């Protein structure tokens, strides 16, 4: 979830106010981007107001590997700043992070951001200023409403490589009370189906839902994850005036005929006046993918 671990950069200054996150890290962690790459669009335009935009993994900005960290930035982050690629709707940050064993991000601050982390492999150990301390494994989701301010650390205290997606969502209000929680799910919960893991607080049916089932955050956003076997096809109805961002975490995925490989992304902008059907089909190696759905920007 999580952090800036370099000295202040133009990007950090650019985000002063709604996004403050600065963290100190070991001197070994300094890195430079491999250049700002254009976000390649292999999209097929379905209609005048609906589009699919394929973003191959090779077009993501990748941090120069250090002794302990490698990150892929889907949007401007840390030392990578591209004014043409700062967000997708309320999705502000999506980083695909690899952290070596016994390494991680030391204590650092956040505020006014809804932060979710999806653990792909390994164990993620979290500690924060609210007194929370826990370790989460594959398929788990943790969330944090940074609100008025919170500090935390994210470490790989295990002996295996840690991989996770860190996702920042702009909240629907500033100055919220900080909050932290997590969910631990089984593979069966997402196997060959879209598992709903995050939704809007306002859409919860009852107060008890805040502590079980779908995770609530302070924004009109839904997140889904699936691990599908070879050839399994799933459908998702994108309602009018909605959009979605997909990441193929592992394997290969076809989205309405457009093929995605591991670490590829897809921007889907729906229709303004009608719903649209997404066809999500796992290829020969199966597909593990994550989808973030929100209002059309």
């Amino acid at each position: 979830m999580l952090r800036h671990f370099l000295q202040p950069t133009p990007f950090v200054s650019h985000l002063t106010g709604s996004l403050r996150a600065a963290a100190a890290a070991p001197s070994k962690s300094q890195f430079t981007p491999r250049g700002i790459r254009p976000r390649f669009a292999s999209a097929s335009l379905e209609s005048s107001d609906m589009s699919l935009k394929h973003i191959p993994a090779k077009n993501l900005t990748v941090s120069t590997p250090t002794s302990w960290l490698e990150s892929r930035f889907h949007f401007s982050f840390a030392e990578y700043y591209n004014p043409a690629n700062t967000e997708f709707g309320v999705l502000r940050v999506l980083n695909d992070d690899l952290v070596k064993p016994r390494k991680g991000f030391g204590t650092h601050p956040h505020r006014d951001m809804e932060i979710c982390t999806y653990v792909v492999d390994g164990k993620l150990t979290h500690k924060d200023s609210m007194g929370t301390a826990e370790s989460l494994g594959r398929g788990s989701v943790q969330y944090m409403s940074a609100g008025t301010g919170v500090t935390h650390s994210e470490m790989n205290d295990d002996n295996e490589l840690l991989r996770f997606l860190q996702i920042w969502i702009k909240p629907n209000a500033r100055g919220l009370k900080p909050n932290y929680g997590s969910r631990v799910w089984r593979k069966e919960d997402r196997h060959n189906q879209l598992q709903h893991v995050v939704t809007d607080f306002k859409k919860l049916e009852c107060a008890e839902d805040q502590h079980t089932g779908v995770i609530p955050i302070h924004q009109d956003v839904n997140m889904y994850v699936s691990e599908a076997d070879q050839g399994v096809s799933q459908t998702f109805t994108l309602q009018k005036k909605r959009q979605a961002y997909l990441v193929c975490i592992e394997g290969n995925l076809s989205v309405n005929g457009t093929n995605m490989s591991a670490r590829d992304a897809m921007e889907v902008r729906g229709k303004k006046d009608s719903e649209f059907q997404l066809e999500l089909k796992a290829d020969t190696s199966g597909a593990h993918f994550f989808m973030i759905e929100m209002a059309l920007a």
Side-chain angles (χ1 to χ4, degrees):
M1 301 179 181
L2 307 215
R3 67 271 149 196
H4 292 299
F5 30 81
L6 300 180
Q7 297 300 316
T9 67
F11 171 64
V12 176
S13 299
H14 174 76
L15 293 179
T16 300
S18 64
L19 183 66
R20 291 179 181 272
S27 57
K28 294 181 181 179
S29 71
Q30 293 185 358
F31 59 78
T32 56
R34 295 178 184 170
I36 296 176
R37 298 171 174 82
R39 287 167 75 83
F40 173 76
S42 64
S44 57
L45 199 63
E46 299 288 340
S47 72
S48 61
D49 60 353
M50 198 293 302
S51 68
L52 303 179
K53 181 179 179 182
H54 178 211
I55 304 163
K58 67 181 181 180
N59 286 49
L60 299 175
T61 293
V62 184
S63 65
T64 301
T66 70
S67 63
W68 67 279
L69 172 69
E70 182 177 287
S71 297
R72 287 168 174 79
F73 304 145
H74 286 248
F75 305 98
S76 294
F77 189 83
E79 81 286 1
Y80 160 60
Y81 177 63
N82 178 358
N85 182 35
T86 59
E87 61 192 18
F88 180 74
V90 294
L91 174 59
R92 178 58 197 85
V93 167
L94 199 161
N95 293 347
D96 189 337
D97 290 339
L98 294 171
V99 180
K100 295 289 184 65
R102 306 298 171 180
K103 303 292 183 180
F105 304 96
T107 302
H108 58 278
H110 292 283
R111 66 179 302 151
D112 291 320
M113 194 62 63
E114 301 293 285
I115 302 173
C116 298
T117 301
Y118 179 68
V119 183
V120 179
D121 282 312
K123 287 285 184 70
L124 175 67
T125 298
H126 168 98
K127 294 181 180 179
D128 63 43
S129 55
M130 295 177 282
T132 308
E134 66 174 346
S135 295
L136 298 168
R138 182 178 174 92
S140 300
V141 177
Q142 67 171 201
Y143 65 98
M144 186 170 69
S145 292
T148 54
V150 66
T151 60
H152 75 150
S153 62
E154 302 292 343
M155 305 295 295
N156 179 6
D157 291 336
D158 204 13
N159 293 319
E160 303 296 328
L161 184 69
L162 168 65
R163 181 186 175 193
F164 59 89
L165 301 182
Q166 63 157 302
I167 301 160
W168 293 11
I169 302 294
K170 294 188 290 186
N172 55 25
R174 299 187 66 182
L176 296 168
K177 180 181 178 181
N179 184 34
Y180 174 87
S182 63
R183 302 284 191 272
V184 178
W185 282 294
R186 304 166 302 166
K187 181 179 179 180
E188 290 77 10
D189 297 324
R190 60 186 179 275
H191 186 216
N192 291 334
Q193 61 184 338
L194 284 167
Q195 182 190 7
H196 196 181
V197 295
V198 171
T199 192
D200 185 355
F201 259 111
K202 297 177 181 178
K203 295 182 179 179
L204 294 178
E205 295 182 358
C206 60
E208 287 74 17
D209 288 343
Q210 295 184 22
H211 307 290
T212 61
V214 184
I215 293 168
I217 65 171
H218 297 283
Q219 187 52 269
D220 180 13
V221 165
N222 294 285
M223 299 185 193
Y224 302 86
V225 64
S226 180
E227 280 194 65
D229 295 332
Q230 172 184 345
V232 171
S233 183
Q234 303 176 70
T235 60
F236 180 83
T237 301
L238 192 65
Q239 299 297 326
K240 64 180 181 179
K241 298 182 180 180
R242 305 291 290 184
Q243 64 186 28
Y245 194 86
L246 285 88
V247 177
C248 183
I249 300 171
E250 298 168 314
N252 296 275
L253 179 69
S254 171
V255 181
N256 289 47
T258 299
N259 295 322
M260 299 176 65
S261 299
R263 291 195 167 93
D264 285 4
M266 180 82 73
E267 293 180 359
V268 182
R269 290 178 171 85
K271 299 181 179 182
K272 295 179 181 179
D273 56 0
S274 63
E275 63 185 31
F276 177 76
Q277 198 84 349
L278 286 175
E279 299 290 340
L280 310 166
K281 185 176 180 180
D283 209 335
T284 54
S285 58
H288 183 191
F289 61 96
F290 201 93
M291 178 168 63
I292 306 166
E293 184 266 355
M294 70 203 78
L296 190 66

